[in-house]
Amino acid sequence: MLTSLAIRDVVLIEALDLEFGAGLGALTGETGAGKSILLDALGLALGARADSGLVRNGATQAAVTASFDLPADHGIAALLDENGLMMEPGEPLVIRRTVKADGGSRAFVNDQAVSAALLREVGAQLVEIHGQHDDRGLLNAKGHRALLDSFGRIDGAPAARAWKAWRAAQDALDTARADLDTAERDREWLKHNVKELNDLAPEAGEEEQLAEARATMQKGARLTEDLAAVDGELQGSDGALARLRQAARRLDRLAGDHPLLAEALAALDRAVIEAGEAEEKLAGAGEALSFDPARLEAMETRLFELRALARKHRVQPDDLAALAEELSERLARIEAGGEGLAALEAAAGEARLGYETAAAALSVARQLAAVRLDGAVAGELAPLKLDAARFRTAVEAMAEGQWGPGGQDRVEFEISTNSGAPFAPLAKIASGGELSRFILALKVALAEEGGAATMIFDEIDRGVGGAVASAIGERLARLSRRAQLLVVTHSPQVAARADRHWLIAKSHDGLVTRTGVRPLDEAERREEIARMLSGAEVTDEARAQAGRLLAAA
C-alpha cells in the first residue's frame, strides 16, 4: 500500500507531501489544475522515462519519493533479494527518483542505487495504473495470459518443468548430431591420430621423468673420466685408502710409547673410516651417473617423440594420454553408428510428449478459466450500461515455434461493442468511455480473485454520468475493499464514494503559478462535490444533492 508521496520541483509543484491510507481515495479539481502532473510525478518514481521537462522552471532537479507498507510475503522481497537489495521485515519500502534539468537521472530503493530498468520492475509490482491511454496494463495483450492464469489460479509449473526437460533433451540430441556429423567428416583423421597415440602409448608424468633421467645420464657422461681418476687415487695397493690403513697398522705398534702417538693413531683411524665412506659414496654416484650411450639414445628418442606429438596436437606432453582417450571415444562413437543417437532421440521424443501433455492440461485449465472470467465480466457490463456489448477471452493455440515454458496458448481479451459486431482486441475499441468501463468491469472481475496492492484509475469515468457514474463508483468502492485505490475523477458520484478526498488546485502569487494538493474535511468535501455537480456557481440545490450523495455512499 502506498503510504506517502513527497514531490519536489516537478513542473508546477514546488513542494508537496501527501499521506495515503487504505480504501478509496479521490483526487478532484478543475480542468487544468494539474492532476496529470501528480500522476506524472508518481510515474517518475515508479520508473517511467525521466524527462527533464518535468523539472520546475528555475530548479536544478526534480525529486519524487514514494513509501510503501507491504506484507511480509509480498513478491517484491524475492525480486530485491535477487538483485542484492536489502528489505528489513516490518520496514517500509522507499523508492526515490531524481531527474536533473540537464536530463541526468538517478533511482534508489531503500537508499540503494538501482538502474531505471530495475526501478520499473519494482514499480510494476507495487502499483497498477489504469487509464484509457494506458498501453501497459489491461490493454497490453502480452499480459493477458498471466492475468487469466492468476484469475483461474492455474499452476503453470508442471508445464514449465516439462519444457525445461524437453529443451535439455533436445539440446543434447542436437549436440550429439552435430558431433557425429563433425566426427564422421574427421573419421580418417581420427583413425590416424588414435593409432599414432596408441602406438606411442604416452603416460602422464612420463616426459618429466625422461627429461630428468636424460639430464642425469648426460651429467654422468661428463663426469665419468673424473670419477675414474678419483677412484684410482683411492683404490688399489698404492691407493690412498691402502696407504692410510698401512700407516695405521704401523702406528698401532708404536702408539703405547707416547700419548701423542695414540692421538695420531685415533686420527688415522678416523681418516680410514671417512675415506671408506667416501669410497662407498663414489661407488653410488658412479652407479647413479652411469653412462650408457644406447640407453641415452633411446631416452632421447622417446622424449623427442612425446614433445613432437604434443606440439602437433597443441597440448602439454602430460595431456597426451587424456587426448588419446578422448579421440578414441570420438572414434568409438562413429564406429558405434547411430546407437547412441537413437537413445537420445528416444529421450527427446519422450520429453516432448511430456511437455505436450502438460501444455494440453494447461490449455484445458485456461479454457475453463476463460469461461468463468467471461461470465464474471458479463455480470459487470449491464450495470455499466454496456448491455449490448460482449466480452470474451480468446485462448488460441500457437505455432510450435512460439511454444515456451508458459505453454502453447495465446490469450487475448476481446470485445464486441454492439450486437452482431465482430469481436476485436480490447486495445482497439474506438470509444474512450466504453473502453474505460470495459477496463473497470474486467478489473473488478479479476480483482475478485486477488489483485494488486495499489491501483490508480486515471479519469476512468470520463464521458459518463448519472447512473453509469454511480455504478462506476460502486465498483471502485467494491475494489477498494480488497486493495488500495486512488481515482482521478470528474464525477461527483465517484468522488462521493471515496473514503478520502484530495483537491488539486492552482494558485498564483502574481509571479509564480503553483499546483497544490490538500485533503478535504467533510464540509470542504461537500462543497467540492457540489461544485462538481453545478459548475462555477455552487447552488444550495447542488449542496443538498452533494449531501445526499455522501449520505448514500
Side-chain angles (χ1 to χ4, degrees):
M1 181 178 72
L2 176 66
T3 56
S4 66
L5 182 66
I7 304 172
R8 299 291 183 269
D9 295 319
V10 175
V11 193
L12 298 179
I13 299 176
E14 186 174 13
L16 183 63
D17 294 283
L18 296 175
E19 300 291 330
F20 299 95
L24 177 61
L27 295 157
T28 66
E30 295 182 356
T31 300
K35 294 184 288 293
S36 61
I37 299 174
L38 191 65
L39 293 184
D40 288 343
L42 179 58
L44 180 67
L46 296 173
R49 187 175 69 88
D51 186 350
S52 60
L54 290 173
V55 182
R56 186 174 64 86
N57 188 30
T60 59
Q61 73 171 20
V64 184
T65 303
S67 181
F68 296 83
D69 276 343
L70 303 173
D73 59 350
H74 195 283
I76 201 75
L79 174 61
L80 295 180
D81 185 61
E82 288 172 7
N83 288 276
L85 300 175
M86 296 296 294
M87 181 177 172
E88 295 296 333
E91 292 295 318
L93 177 68
V94 179
I95 59 177
R96 178 165 58 92
R97 186 84 176 280
T98 63
V99 56
K100 294 182 178 179
D102 63 7
S105 71
R106 298 189 69 189
F108 303 87
V109 175
N110 284 352
D111 286 330
Q112 300 167 88
V114 300
S115 66
L118 178 57
L119 184 65
R120 280 193 295 274
E121 195 172 352
V122 170
Q125 291 201 29
L126 295 172
V127 179
E128 294 180 15
I129 299 179
H130 300 288
Q132 57 182 319
H133 301 300
D134 177 22
D135 61 355
R136 297 164 296 167
L138 294 179
L139 299 187
N140 188 348
K142 292 180 180 179
H144 290 178
R145 187 170 71 184
L147 287 170
L148 178 63
D149 288 353
S150 177
F151 171 84
R153 290 184 170 85
I154 296 172
D155 182 9
R161 288 193 297 269
W163 165 265
K164 184 178 180 180
W166 176 33
R167 294 324 306 164
Q170 188 62 46
D171 288 345
L173 174 59
D174 293 342
T175 300
R177 283 172 172 165
D179 286 348
L180 282 174
D181 288 344
T182 301
E184 186 65 35
R185 292 193 297 270
D186 296 338
R187 177 196 286 268
E188 293 304 318
W189 180 88
L190 282 168
K191 289 178 69 175
H192 169 75
N193 283 280
V194 167
K195 183 178 185 305
E196 186 177 43
L197 285 163
N198 287 339
D199 288 346
L200 186 61
E203 298 178 1
E206 182 182 7
E207 189 258 357
E208 182 178 359
Q209 294 172 0
L210 285 171
E212 289 179 356
R214 173 175 173 257
T216 300
M217 190 169 287
Q218 286 174 332
K219 282 183 184 177
R222 293 194 304 271
L223 298 175
T224 296
E225 184 176 345
D226 291 335
L227 288 174
V230 172
D231 186 64
E233 294 291 337
L234 288 173
Q235 297 295 328
S237 58
D238 291 331
L241 185 57
R243 290 180 179 181
L244 282 172
R245 288 171 177 160
Q246 184 179 4
R249 284 194 297 272
R250 287 183 178 181
L251 188 58
D252 183 49
R253 291 194 296 272
L254 305 174
D257 295 335
H258 195 279
L260 290 176
L261 293 176
E263 291 180 9
L265 177 61
L268 276 176
D269 287 340
R270 290 196 298 273
V272 170
I273 293 171
E274 293 288 340
E277 290 180 1
E279 182 182 30
E280 291 177 2
K281 292 186 184 300
L282 281 170
E287 184 179 349
L289 294 171
S290 62
F291 172 63
D292 182 346
R295 185 164 170 244
L296 176 61
E297 182 180 0
M299 280 186 187
E300 289 183 332
T301 299
R302 175 78 177 173
L303 182 62
F304 296 155
E305 286 178 347
L306 283 172
R307 290 175 173 174
L309 202 55
R311 286 194 300 271
K312 173 182 176 180
H313 291 286
R314 297 179 181 180
V315 298
Q316 295 298 317
D318 280 351
D319 295 330
L320 285 172
L323 177 65
E325 184 177 353
E326 177 187 342
L327 296 184
S328 296
E329 289 176 356
R330 287 176 58 185
L331 185 60
R333 286 198 296 269
I334 296 175
E335 301 298 340
E339 293 179 6
L341 196 63
L344 290 173
E345 287 174 343
E350 184 177 350
R352 177 191 174 111
L353 180 60
Y355 168 70
E356 289 180 337
T357 301
L362 195 57
S363 296
V364 171
R366 284 175 177 150
Q367 295 285 357
L368 295 173
V371 173
R372 291 199 297 112
L373 179 58
D374 293 352
V377 175
E380 298 294 330
L381 296 180
L384 296 174
K385 297 301 184 284
L386 293 169
D387 309 67
R390 292 175 296 157
F391 172 89
R392 76 176 181 188
T393 305
V395 181
E396 300 175 349
M398 295 188 295
E400 182 173 336
Q402 297 174 303
W403 293 358
Q408 303 171 350
D409 308 307
R410 178 186 295 105
V411 177
E412 186 166 8
F413 300 146
E414 297 180 340
I415 57 173
S416 168
T417 54
N418 296 295
S419 180
F423 281 92
L426 184 63
K428 296 185 181 300
I429 190 170
S431 167
E434 287 181 330
L435 177 57
S436 298
R437 284 175 277 160
F438 266 112
I439 290 175
L440 179 58
L442 181 55
K443 191 61 196 176
V444 168
L446 291 171
E448 294 293 339
E449 300 296 333
T454 299
M455 291 179 281
I456 297 175
F457 289 88
D458 181 15
E459 297 187 3
I460 201 166
D461 50 8
R462 177 178 294 184
V464 300
V468 178
S470 295
I472 291 175
E474 187 276 328
R475 276 147 184 78
L476 290 172
R478 188 197 312 170
L479 274 177
S480 71
R481 292 195 291 269
R482 296 177 174 83
Q484 179 190 41
L485 260 68
L486 295 175
V487 56
V488 177
T489 180
H490 289 287
S491 169
Q493 293 90 341
V494 172
R497 289 276 186 174
D499 300 298
R500 293 170 184 81
H501 193 155
W502 292 270
L503 177 64
I504 304 173
K506 285 182 179 178
S507 62
H508 308 268
D509 61 6
L511 295 175
V512 179
T513 300
R514 298 181 177 85
T515 289
V517 182
R518 63 183 182 88
L520 301 180
D521 61 24
E522 286 302 314
E524 291 171 328
R525 186 179 178 196
R526 183 167 53 253
E527 192 70 11
E528 169 63 8
I529 292 175
R531 181 199 64 77
M532 297 170 72
L533 285 164
S534 62
E537 182 179 350
V538 180
T539 64
D540 290 340
E541 176 54 32
R543 292 188 179 94
Q545 179 61 18
R548 288 191 290 271
L549 286 175
L550 288 168

